[in-house]
Amino acid sequence: AEKTGEYRARGNARATRDGVDVAADELVAFYRIGPGGESQQIYRMDAIGNVVITSGQTEAVGDKAVYHLDQRVVVLVGRKLKLISPQATITARESLEYWDEKEIAVARGKATVIQQDIRLQAGVLTAFIRPDKKTGKKEVKRIDATSGVHVSTASEIVRGREGVYDIDSQVAQLCGDVKITRGDNQLNGECATVNMKTGRSDLQGGGGKKVKGLILPAQ
């Protein structure tokens, strides 16, 4: 049978592996013992309390985390889950996954992208981290939104089934039973383009369908 063991570190514990830094109140490292008992391989690390995961310019925080080293994926849970990068801040209610090798982050449960006064929320948000063409630094370049999308700006609310947000252009594309609400007015269509910088959107019918709308006269 495979022999295993564990190490524990408490009080501002920190560990680094493959460019991923893990800091927490307590770290528990689980290891396997190789043939002959001469080598030890850490295959899992649990982080408990005030967890901060750092990879390049991207930082993820939570109450607890499990780092599966074989798959190079960190799963965070807790009350204040947050992924912070220079381009966007993502929060989640259920879990936050960071796949280091695939360079993606997955936020689940009322996942929200926050930029100034504009919010994009969905059941699941997947952030793709890629090198910037000019600086070479890894940055969040695209965010896919699924399981119901809700964009709120200062002047309108846009809803759809799924969407894609391009970080560089700050433009979100929503599709699937799209509804745009502006005060008492509502427009319905298949897709919408939302400029997250200006807060304005354009609606398209899609699939040969006409755009439908309910426009109420000003009072």
Side-chain angles (χ1 to χ4, degrees), residues 7-211:
Y7 295 113
R8 289 182 178 268
R10 295 184 175 91
N12 296 320
R14 184 180 297 272
T16 301
R17 179 71 178 267
D18 297 328
V20 179
D21 184 80
V22 182
D25 295 338
E26 181 179 359
L27 291 178
V28 183
F30 299 88
Y31 63 87
R32 307 182 186 97
I33 300 176
E38 297 178 356
S39 63
Q40 296 179 354
Q41 179 187 23
I42 297 176
Y43 64 92
R44 170 177 164 169
M45 186 178 300
D46 289 6
I48 305 167
N50 298 307
V51 180
V52 180
I53 312 291
T54 306
S55 178
Q57 293 184 299
T58 302
E59 180 179 280
V61 300
D63 295 330
K64 297 180 181 179
V66 176
Y67 182 14
H68 300 279
L69 279 75
D70 291 344
Q71 294 81 22
R72 293 178 64 179
V73 57
V74 183
V75 181
L76 294 98
V77 295
R79 294 172 296 174
K80 296 182 179 180
L81 296 170
K82 186 179 294 186
L83 178 79
I84 305 166
S85 76
Q87 300 74 37
T89 297
I90 299 176
T91 62
R93 294 283 185 88
E94 295 179 7
S95 66
L96 183 61
E97 305 165 13
Y98 179 71
W99 296 76
D100 182 56
E101 190 169 25
K102 297 179 180 180
E103 295 185 327
I104 63 173
V106 183
R108 304 178 189 276
K110 289 190 176 180
T112 306
V113 181
I114 304 171
Q115 286 192 323
Q116 298 179 352
D117 294 332
I118 299 176
R119 292 171 176 259
L120 185 154
Q121 187 177 87
V124 180
L125 291 177
T126 302
F128 294 82
I129 303 166
R130 300 292 182 264
D132 184 80
K133 293 181 179 179
K134 294 181 179 179
T135 65
K137 296 180 179 179
K138 292 183 178 180
E139 300 177 350
V140 176
K141 289 296 183 181
R142 192 185 90 218
I143 298 174
D144 289 2
T146 56
S147 300
V149 188
H150 180 286
V151 178
S152 59
T153 72
S155 59
E156 61 188 24
I157 296 174
V158 186
R159 296 180 177 87
R161 285 198 298 267
E162 57 188 16
V164 177
Y165 178 34
D166 181 81
I167 295 294
D168 289 341
S169 65
Q170 296 188 45
V171 171
Q173 181 79 24
L174 276 66
C175 284
D177 193 23
V178 172
K179 295 179 176 62
I180 299 178
T181 304
R182 297 170 182 162
D184 292 331
N185 301 324
Q186 180 174 298
L187 298 173
N188 301 330
E190 288 300 302
C191 293
T193 300
V194 184
N195 188 315
M196 301 286 279
K197 188 175 182 178
T198 64
R200 299 300 297 175
S201 61
D202 295 316
L203 191 67
Q204 300 92 40
K209 297 181 180 180
K210 295 182 179 180
V211 174

